[in-house]
Amino acid sequence: MLISKFCTDNIEHSIQKFEREYKFMFPEEYKRFLLRYNGGKTPESSFKLNKIYSNIDGFYGLGQAEMYFHYDIFAKGGKLTEYINDEVIPIAANCFGDYIVIGIGRNNNGKIYFYYHDRPKKYIELIDSFKAFVSKCKSKRIKPAKSIEERREILIAKGKGANIDDELIKIWQAEIDEYANICQEELVLD
């Protein structure tokens, strides 16, 4: 699996503070992942386990993690406490807003589950450990994004030049900006 990790500066302190504040402990295997990667973006990544097929947009992190993949988004409105009371915590999300969660209880510690955000609360067990989960995830390397000029030429060649407007150019630029800083590396767990 490929990942574009988040900044890991002071991550050990951030993990300790987070665990103290919410009175739980990350499973050791997952904590080692956070120490090394602090979560990260995982574009073009997916898995198929236990009749669940899903993409993975990214893993959550702390400290200097990107806003959309920061554990702070669960802290608002008490959502994180609800998960902790269920003895799980979200670790990743797909493009539909569904979650991959990890068990943090005595009987489910380290097990990986899938949770549909828009269905009655049910955690579908996927696999026994984070390391086993990651080994089942597949990624494609991101190709360099085409420039606005290249995209313009392609549409004009297809006879669709009339579709090019300021709004489309903004969408193109947003995609180019998003992927410009992606630095994929092989996710390795000890």
Side-chain angles (χ1 to χ4, degrees), residues 123-179:
Y123 301 106
I124 302 164
E125 187 172 336
L126 297 176
I127 202 158
D128 283 339
S129 72
F130 181 68
K131 188 172 186 174
F133 173 71
V134 170
S135 75
K136 299 293 184 182
C137 296
K138 306 298 178 216
S139 301
K140 295 178 186 171
R141 193 153 298 278
I142 298 296
K143 296 176 186 171
K146 289 182 174 43
S147 70
I148 290 174
E149 295 311 314
E150 290 171 314
R151 294 167 192 234
R152 185 186 311 269
E153 288 173 13
I154 290 168
L155 279 184
I156 291 170
K158 290 182 177 181
K160 299 187 183 235
N163 293 344
I164 302 169
D165 61 10
D166 289 342
E167 194 61 35
L168 182 58
I169 291 171
K170 284 181 188 176
I171 292 169
W172 287 345
Q173 189 61 56
E175 181 184 299
I176 291 166
D177 293 344
E178 179 180 353
Y179 290 108

Side-chain angles (χ1 to χ4, degrees), residues 66-80:
E66 189 175 293
M67 177 178 61
Y68 296 111
F69 291 105
H70 199 291
Y71 274 112
D72 282 350
I73 65 173
F74 294 104
K76 297 172 185 156
K79 287 287 185 193
L80 192 60

Side-chain angles (χ1 to χ4, degrees), residues 3-148:
I3 190 165
S4 179
K5 70 181 187 177
F6 297 136
C7 179
T8 57
D9 293 351
N10 288 328
I11 189 60
E12 188 168 9
H13 172 74
S14 296
I15 292 169
Q16 291 170 353
K17 181 180 173 195
F18 191 71
E19 289 176 327
R20 272 194 315 274
E21 182 176 348
Y22 289 99
K23 299 174 179 68
F24 82 99
M25 298 288 285
F26 283 111
E28 282 304 314
E29 192 174 65
Y30 187 69
K31 189 181 292 190
R32 286 192 306 271
F33 162 78
L34 286 174
L35 288 168
R36 180 178 274 177
Y37 298 100
N38 188 25
K41 287 185 171 183
T42 55
E44 297 293 327
S45 296
S46 62
F47 68 89
K48 184 176 183 180
L49 287 165
N50 198 16
K51 300 181 183 175
I52 302 288
Y53 177 78
S54 177
N55 77 310
I56 305 173
D57 279 352
F59 286 91
Y60 294 102
L62 296 159
Q64 296 179 50
E66 189 175 293
M67 177 178 61
Y68 296 111
F69 291 105
H70 199 291
Y71 274 112
D72 282 350
I73 65 173
F74 294 104
K76 297 172 185 156
K79 287 287 185 193
L80 192 60
T81 302
E82 288 179 34
Y83 287 109
I84 293 170
N85 288 341
D86 288 343
E87 297 186 331
V88 297
I89 189 163
I91 59 170
N94 69 13
C95 65
F96 301 110
D98 302 320
Y99 301 114
I100 292 88
V101 301
I102 194 166
I104 57 171
R106 181 177 299 156
N107 295 322
N108 71 347
N109 195 276
K111 288 186 177 183
I112 305 298
Y113 301 86
F114 190 81
Y115 173 65
Y116 288 103
H117 78 282
D118 58 350
R119 295 187 187 172
K121 192 183 282 187
K122 180 181 176 187
Y123 301 106
I124 302 164
E125 187 172 336
L126 297 176
I127 202 158
D128 283 339
S129 72
F130 181 68
K131 188 172 186 174
F133 173 71
V134 170
S135 75
K136 299 293 184 182
C137 296
K138 306 298 178 216
S139 301
K140 295 178 186 171
R141 193 153 298 278
I142 298 296
K143 296 176 186 171
K146 289 182 174 43
S147 70
I148 290 174

